Amino acid sequence: MLNKSRLLMVVALASGALFGLGISISGMINPEKVQGFLNITREWDPSLGLVMAAALAVFMPGYYRWRQAGQTQCVLGNDLPKLAKPIIDKRLVIGASLFGAGWGWVGICPGSAMALLASLQWQAGLFVLAMLAGFWLVKKMQP
């Protein structure tokens, strides 16, 4: 029998593998597909939007049924996060802008980068190293 922390790792691994498989099958690890969605000034490719809509269509009914049933914990027993009032501050705007600029520039987000690592492309490794450097830099800058 797995203890709770190991079970959480197994579920996280399975969820990550499922996510990676999904974006690989749908072609969303291809930076050109992502850039085709983000660039609305040229020939627009709506496929990324369709993938996002399909993911939400699968997720939302179960989530809302779960919430309406009064559940406060996920299947592993952890508390579900409470919905907080969104705070749009300078930090969120700067972070979102940097994320969007990086995503639009190379067409890779953290999720697709992790899936691309399995392809052993050097660009994916470089992206992940740069991402980790960004995480480290932000942590160093926080008070």
Side-chain angles (χ1 to χ4, degrees):
M1 184 77 178
L2 294 174
N3 66 25
K4 189 174 176 179
S5 66
R6 287 186 185 209
L7 185 60
L8 183 60
M9 285 193 303
V10 169
V11 170
L13 182 63
S15 299
L18 188 62
F19 176 79
L21 185 64
I23 65 171
S24 297
I25 289 173
S26 65
M28 293 304 119
I29 60 171
N30 179 352
E32 292 173 3
K33 295 281 289 177
V34 174
Q35 289 171 325
F37 176 77
L38 296 175
N39 187 352
I40 58 173
T41 61
R42 296 189 184 155
E43 193 170 322
W44 185 60
D45 180 358
S47 56
L48 177 58
L50 294 174
V51 169
M52 290 180 185
L56 285 173
V58 171
F59 165 75
M60 287 177 67
Y63 178 76
Y64 283 110
R65 278 187 82 188
W66 189 265
R67 282 284 189 182
Q68 284 182 343
Q71 296 292 331
T72 59
Q73 295 183 327
C74 68
V75 292
L76 297 177
N78 298 9
D79 289 335
L80 288 172
K82 294 187 179 6
L83 299 177
K85 185 176 179 182
I87 299 172
I88 300 173
D89 58 4
K90 183 173 81 176
R91 188 178 162 154
L92 175 67
V93 171
I94 290 171
S97 299
L98 289 172
F99 178 85
W103 196 25
W105 189 20
V106 296
I108 302 173
C109 71
S112 64
M114 299 311 284
L116 277 171
L117 277 179
S119 68
L120 302 178
Q121 294 180 23
W122 67 269
Q123 296 94 337
L126 184 61
F127 181 91
V128 170
L129 285 176
M131 181 176 70
L132 293 174
F135 291 163
W136 176 82
L137 184 62
V138 166
K139 191 173 182 179
K140 284 287 183 188
M141 292 171 55
Q142 287 180 340

